[in-house]
Amino acid sequence: MKKIFITLSSMLLAGCSLFEADNDNYWLNNVRPYKTLSVNYYNPDDAAAQEQMTDSKTLNTRTYKHNVVVSANLGQRMVDAQTYTVENFAKPQLVATADGFISSGGLTVNIHEGQGFEALGEVKMNGKYYLIVPANNEGDLLLVDERGKFLPMLCQIYHNELLLPREKAYMKPADLSLEQRKATRENVGKPKLQFEIKYDGLENGYMAFVYTDYSNASSSEGYFQRFVFPQEQDLVEINGVKFKVMDVYPERIEYMLLD
């Protein structure tokens, strides 16, 4: 069966409200003049209705600057790099485009601009398809055509069929409608340390540094290497990280990271 608003048809409702009387004889005698239509209920587990990831990217961040003289104490981190993941999600949504109301038989349904609706199914009427959306929590329903425009009527579900009213409702504005939008959200993951370089002191005329690689580690532990350089060496490179040593002491080092 055709689904109107192919993307909009994914707007689902887990359950529907049934309009039932305590005495079916009442409905057999009074409802019969009304017209009922078969409903194609949407599957709430339809994957198209679920929130979908639209984008995912991994970003890098560093806590150091180049060409600026800084210092680090013994055992303190000199350089590090971290990565974090940014994921974007979207879910189809039907939203009212303006304030308005639909009124019939003393019942008024107020609609507010930006109000969200979820379709529970669709019906075919006079050769056209219409979405069924809940109007309130009392079981009243509204119909929406293929352009997103509300029909001026308030309906009910009776024995799993759509019960149409005898009379049209009063609707204001006359072009009260819904439009499809996407409800979006962003999820920023926790930063993960990729590597770090720490100053490891001055021993017997040699500067010592510890490089730890966390890129393949699932915890705070990683693979580390210890590097030593002559104290008088002013240009140092450790796994692609270059810096100039300005002054070095057993408990502190002053340095400048190079591009």
Side-chain angles (χ1 to χ4, degrees), residues 23 66 72 92 106 112 153 162 171 193 258:
N23 189 339
H66 289 98
H112 306 284
M153 60 177 64
L162 186 71
M171 184 169 70
L193 189 63
L258 304 177

Side-chain angles (χ1 to χ4, degrees), residues 92-217:
Q93 187 179 47
L94 297 175
V95 178
T97 60
D99 291 337
F101 66 88
I102 299 176
S103 181
S104 177
L107 174 66
T108 297
V109 175
N110 293 304
I111 295 173
H112 306 284
E113 182 177 0
Q115 180 180 347
F117 290 83
E118 293 186 350
L120 62 85
E122 64 187 37
V123 294
K124 185 177 182 180
M125 183 170 57
N126 299 326
K128 297 182 179 180
Y129 288 85
Y130 299 86
L131 283 179
I132 306 171
V133 299
N136 51 37
N137 295 326
E138 283 71 48
D140 298 296
L141 304 170
L142 299 172
L143 295 182
V144 184
D145 68 16
E146 292 181 331
R147 298 170 299 171
K149 183 179 177 181
F150 284 107
L151 270 62
M153 60 177 64
L154 292 174
C155 306
Q156 294 279 346
I157 291 293
Y158 176 67
H159 288 305
N160 288 323
E161 292 193 330
L162 186 71
L163 182 66
L164 297 178
R166 286 196 182 100
E167 299 178 355
K168 287 187 177 180
Y170 177 70
M171 184 169 70
K172 187 175 181 180
D175 59 350
L176 190 60
S177 61
L178 299 176
E179 69 177 8
Q180 180 184 349
R181 297 180 187 174
K182 286 186 177 181
T184 61
R185 71 178 180 89
E186 181 181 80
N187 180 56
V188 180
K190 184 178 179 180
K192 179 181 178 182
L193 189 63
Q194 296 297 296
F195 75 85
E196 66 181 7
I197 298 175
K198 292 183 177 181
Y199 178 53
D200 203 36
L202 187 63
E203 301 174 0
N204 302 320
Y206 285 87
M207 303 176 290
F209 305 90
V210 175
Y211 176 95
T212 306
D213 183 354
Y214 298 97
S215 59
N216 294 318

